[in-house]
Amino acid sequence: MKKTILAGALALTVLAGGIPAAYAKINLGKGVSALGNAAQALTLTDAQMAAYAKESVDWMDTHNKVSDADSEYTKRLNRLTEGLTEADGIPLNFKVYEVIDVNAFACPDGSVRVFSSLMDIMSDDELLGVIGHEIGHVAKHHSKKAFKQELLGNALKDGMAAAGGVAAQLSQTQLTTLGQALAGAKYSQKQENEADDFGYDFLKENGKTPWGMVMAFEKLDSMSGSAKSGMIDRMFSSHPQTVDRIARMTKRCQKDGIERPAK
């Protein structure tokens, strides 16, 4: 039986208090600014940030049901992502979380996590469209910026600082919060458009149809009136220009003479 994701998604249980994270809101934009100039006192190198990202991803992989190698989910994902080894110099790795939330996310280190419930409703082309878009956030360093800001905010609030070149060890509560931030990060309209464009080029360059991005967005947008998911909320709720984004990608496909796949 599929379970709601334990770390990094909407039904996360916060370890410290046992409160479902569906009722907690993560705001990546206020963690540092709310504390004013105190942020300047904290040092955090790119290497330390990368180590924290890996620790958070490893923690999520441990605390969620990852599909086995012989799972049909894993076999399908491996087939679809064959040859997609890196994006803008960042190595990629893919896993499936068998959970009930409809979502997918990509981390600063190139870890891409696709939820089984998303795979259940997406065609192959649509699923690749979502993956291409998420990889765009990694390649354009959107996820890195969002994660670093969340990390700095939590570090300051919890008194966790990197000193003398050594990064402090993350607590279980911090890992929970950072995992939630990775899976639920929201981006600006400009960043979404940049991820769309990178995803389009990435799919096209790797012999995949960029129409999948259009079709995936159309499907998720059509679901927004009757169902809620992490991906729908994250990609569309704060962006009323969804139709414009779909139109942009459609225009690019038509301009490039790429035929839309049959449903």
Side-chain angles (χ1 to χ4, degrees), residues 71-92:
S71 163
E72 291 304 314
Y73 287 120
T74 299
K75 290 179 181 178
R76 181 187 177 197
L77 185 62
N78 288 344
R79 172 174 57 81
L80 292 177
T81 60
E82 184 177 3
L84 306 183
T85 58
E86 64 90 23
D88 199 35
I90 300 172
L92 302 173

Side-chain angles (χ1 to χ4, degrees), residues 202-241:
F202 179 79
L203 294 172
K204 183 180 176 182
E205 290 168 3
N206 284 278
K208 315 293 185 181
T209 177
W211 273 108
M213 188 178 297
V214 174
M215 297 159 64
F217 289 0
E218 289 173 342
K219 178 168 288 185
L220 290 170
D221 192 34
S222 70
M223 292 171 57
S224 63
S226 58
K228 286 292 181 181
S229 74
M231 175 154 287
I232 293 170
D233 288 339
R234 180 162 56 89
M235 294 177 68
F236 298 136
S237 64
S238 61
H239 303 302
Q241 302 91 344

Side-chain angles (χ1 to χ4, degrees), residues 85-124:
T85 58
E86 64 90 23
D88 199 35
I90 300 172
L92 302 173
N93 69 89
F94 303 88
K95 290 184 181 179
V96 178
Y97 286 173
E98 294 190 17
V99 293
I100 63 175
D101 302 289
V102 177
N103 205 353
F105 65 94
C107 305
D109 68 340
S111 296
V112 180
R113 300 297 179 259
V114 182
F115 294 12
S116 56
S117 292
L118 177 70
M119 298 181 72
D120 289 340
I121 66 169
M122 292 279 171
S123 69
D124 287 354

